[in-house]
């Protein structure tokens, strides 16, 4: 499974748990429009760290939190192994 | 020299001693022997009036020496088994210790510095050192970080709850405890056995739960105490099957409903009580109705010499059973100006009952919202497949911290059911807890560590 599809399935699971209705997840979708609040994102980042072994937002000191879904996925794809 | 304002421990060695014993794994000593013989080696009479560190390898020798030294020495500092000589050094200075009673070899740095007396099974004829003072009992707090604090008790205060109940309440009981008797929780049970006319079976350092329980059964133990974590471990071990005590006592951590119910099922013939006590605050109360928390009417009134109030959410206790002071040059005051000890244990009133929600220092801050790990654990523990759990803080780049949980499942839980169980636990948490208190991640683990005092390790607290 690609990084992107792992992120997809983690987001879907959290949306289900939190009873959030997700819009279609396009690369341009602003994260603000996903329906996720900061707690939901915190859960997402923690679970992805367990699954992918990396938390790109803590690793880099100057990491800016992404603003679109596409940027969020790229943050994980671009982490040096 | 202060005149004794209390009866010394050895004066409770009344008639009918022959059938009463204190036992370890290898030796059993009768109270007759304890009354007639000394466990101390030569020059023990010179201990009178000294400030003594009691540091033995096992609990049995400490038990014998406590009986012999109370009322004789000025101070008695009980060393728990996990403290090495290096860490003890500071504490010895703070406590003004000038003599050591031990069965262990002393490091060269200590050898000339202290008056040293050996301790062994009671074989020498008792020299009958005179009981002529109220010994100060010093013990260490079970703090998990940094050096422990030294707390000073009187024998009167330590024995207060036992004497208030009337020693006859547990006459002929044979006591066991998962605690070490050199810590507050275990010392209390040891004093119950001696004062209340009973016997006692002590655990050995590093002994497995099942091995100790086998000795408890062999030794006919009827009354036994431990922390909720100790009891969860016992239930997990399966060793409870053939064990049928009359009285099961919990203290030192929050006793949640799931555990109280689990113990009631495992020990259908036992009465089950959970007590509130701490090294600093002494014994506060015990509750015997099988329900978590305690009746609200205990707050605000004097109950058998104990007054309790709640200030800023934490339980405060004033009684003659609280410790007298912290010991040391720069020791902070132990009680406030009115004599109340702040326990740091946070309580919450729900209807006619107060419930413990956690430690003040253990709060997890999730983007400004607070949660006690213990309240999350209490909900997780309600799941029928869960044996034990620990909620803890994990850093988060988004909210600063989030709650995650480590869970031990019952033996034989089908691995194929893990995902279902995880979803059920999350569902339970969502129904009973605010959103930020629901664990973000639930991990199934094989074991959770306990501190030397028998409490769940909370390193992130």
């Amino acid at each position: 499974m690609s990084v992107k599809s792992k992120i997809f399935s983690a987001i879907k699971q959290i949306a289900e748990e939190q009873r959030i209705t997700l819009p279609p997840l396009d690369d341009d979708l602003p994260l603000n429009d996903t329906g996720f609040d900061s707690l939901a994102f915190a859960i997402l980042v923690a679970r992805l760290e367990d699954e992918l072994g990396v938390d790109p937002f803590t690793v880099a000191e100057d990491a800016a939190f992404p603003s679109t879904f596409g940027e969020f996925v790229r943050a994980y794809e671009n982490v040096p192994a | 020299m202060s005149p004794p304002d209390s009866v010394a421990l050895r004066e409770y060695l009344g008639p009918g001693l022959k059938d009463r014993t204190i036992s370890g794994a290898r030796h059993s000593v009768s109270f007759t022997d304890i009354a007639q013989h000394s466990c101390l080696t030569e020059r023990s009479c010179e201990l009178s009036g000294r400030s003594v560190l009691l540091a033995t390898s096992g609990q049995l020798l400490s038990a014998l020496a406590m009986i012999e030294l109370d009322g004789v020495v000025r101070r008695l500092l009980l060393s728990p088994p996990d403290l090495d000589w290096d860490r003890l050094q500071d504490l010895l200075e703070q406590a003004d210790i000038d003599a050591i009673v031990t069965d262990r070899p002393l490091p060269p740095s200590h050898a000339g510095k202290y008056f040293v007396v050996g301790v062994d099974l009671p074989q020498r004829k008792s020299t009958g050192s005179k009981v002529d003072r109220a010994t100060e009992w010093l013990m260490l707090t079970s703090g998990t970080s940094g050096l422990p604090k030294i707390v000073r008790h009187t024998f009167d205060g330590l024995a207060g709850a036992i004497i208030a109940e009337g020693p006859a309440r547990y006459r002929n009981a044979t006591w066991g405890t998962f605690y070490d008797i050199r810590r507050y929780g275990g010392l209390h049970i040891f004093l119950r056995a001696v004062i209340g006319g009973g016997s006692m079976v002590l655990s050995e350092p590093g002994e497995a739960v099942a091995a100790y329980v086998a000795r408890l059964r062999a030794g006919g133990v009827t009354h036994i105490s431990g922390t909720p974590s100790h009891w969860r471990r016992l239930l997990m071990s399966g060793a409870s099957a053939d064990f049928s005590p009359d009285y099961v006592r919990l203290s030192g951590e929050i006793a949640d409903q799931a555990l109280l119910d689990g113990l009631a099922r495992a020990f259908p013939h036992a009465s089950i009580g959970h007590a509130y006590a701490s090294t600093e605050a002494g014994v506060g109360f015990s509750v015997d109705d099988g329900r978590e928390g305690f009746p609200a009417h205990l707050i605000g009134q004097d109950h058998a010499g104990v007054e309790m109030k709640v200030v800023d959410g934490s339980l405060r206790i004033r009684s003659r059973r609280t410790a007298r002071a912290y010991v040391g040059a720069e020791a902070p005051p132990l009680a406030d100006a009115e004599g109340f000890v702040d326990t740091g244990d946070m309580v919450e009133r729900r209807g006619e009952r107060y419930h413990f929600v956690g430690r003040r220092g253990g709060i997890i801050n999730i983007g400004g919202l607070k949660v006690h790990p213990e309240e999350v654990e209490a909900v997780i523990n309600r799941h029928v497949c869960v044996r034990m759990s620990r909620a803890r803080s994990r850093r988060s780049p988004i909210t600063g911290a989030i709650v995650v949980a480590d869970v031990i499942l019952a033996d034989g839980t089908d691995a194929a059911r893990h995902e279902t169980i995880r979803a059920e636990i999350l569902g339970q948490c969502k129904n009973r807890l605010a959103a930020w208190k629901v664990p973000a991640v639930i991990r199934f683990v094989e074991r959770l560590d306990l501190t030397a005092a028998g409490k769940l390790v909370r390193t992130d607290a």
Side-chain angles (χ1 to χ4, degrees), chain B residues 162-182:
Chain B
I162 303 163
I163 290 160
E165 280 176 359
R169 178 166 175 195
Y170 298 109
R171 190 164 294 285
N172 300 324
T174 298
W175 288 89
T177 178
F178 295 107
Y179 285 110
D180 192 289
I181 61 167
R182 292 159 285 186

Side-chain angles (χ1 to χ4, degrees), chain B residues 42-253:
Chain B
E42 72 282 11
R43 293 173 71 204
S44 62
C45 48
E46 291 174 48
L47 284 171
S48 177
R50 286 188 181 262
S51 295
V52 176
L53 169 76
L54 178 57
T56 62
S57 40
Q59 295 188 71
L60 181 58
L61 295 182
S62 277
L64 302 173
M66 282 186 227
I67 296 173
E68 194 161 337
L69 294 173
D70 181 50
V72 174
V73 300
R74 180 171 85 90
R75 285 185 156 175
L76 187 59
L77 170 60
L78 307 182
S79 166
D82 49 317
L83 268 190
D84 55 36
W85 292 116
D86 285 345
R87 293 190 66 207
L88 269 172
Q89 190 51 53
D90 273 355
L91 297 169
L92 296 188
E93 276 162 30
Q94 280 177 46
D96 252 344
I97 296 298
D98 58 12
I100 298 179
V101 171
T102 187
D103 62 332
R104 292 153 56 184
L106 236 57
S109 54
H110 286 58
K113 216 166 153 186
Y114 299 96
F115 178 68
V116 180
V117 171
V119 55
D120 203 346
L121 295 172
Q123 286 151 352
R124 288 151 291 276
K125 191 172 164 11
S126 178
T127 52
S129 295
K130 227 170 89 208
V131 169
D132 57 5
R133 69 191 67 235
T135 295
E136 295 176 356
W137 288 66
L138 308 189
M139 58 190 69
L140 304 179
T141 58
S142 56
T144 46
S145 56
L147 209 59
K149 289 210 254 316
I150 306 170
V151 170
R152 173 163 61 83
H153 277 274
T154 62
F155 176 72
D156 254 5
L158 291 171
I162 303 163
I163 290 160
E165 280 176 359
R169 178 166 175 195
Y170 298 109
R171 190 164 294 285
N172 300 324
T174 298
W175 288 89
T177 178
F178 295 107
Y179 285 110
D180 192 289
I181 61 167
R182 292 159 285 186
R183 294 186 184 282
Y184 189 86
L187 180 65
H188 183 74
I189 299 304
F190 168 64
L191 294 179
R192 276 186 185 277
V194 176
I195 296 171
S199 293
M200 184 154 198
V201 177
L202 299 164
S203 64
E204 291 293 322
E207 186 172 32
V209 173
Y212 183 44
V213 172
R215 288 200 300 112
L216 294 174
R217 280 166 40 206
V221 164
T222 53
H223 291 55
I224 171 156
S225 85
T227 62
S229 290
H230 284 136
W231 284 110
R232 289 192 185 96
R233 281 214 164 161
L234 174 66
L235 294 180
M236 276 192 288
S237 73
S240 57
D242 303 316
F243 184 39
S244 184
D246 299 333
Y247 178 60
V248 162
R249 182 180 174 100
L250 302 83
S251 64
E253 290 179 305

Side-chain angles (χ1 to χ4, degrees), chain B residues 334-345:
Chain B
L334 184 127
D336 68 15
E338 294 175 316
F340 279 91
V341 175
D342 182 356
T343 64
D345 285 311

Side-chain angles (χ1 to χ4, degrees), chain A residues 17 42 46-47 49-50 55 65, chain B residues 394-395 398 402 430 440-441:
Chain A
E17 289 169 12
R47 291 195 188 164
E49 184 182 5
D50 287 349
D55 166 5
F65 202 75
Chain B
R394 174 164 156 187
R395 50 131 200 86
I398 323 261
I402 50 167
K430 263 189 232 301
V441 177

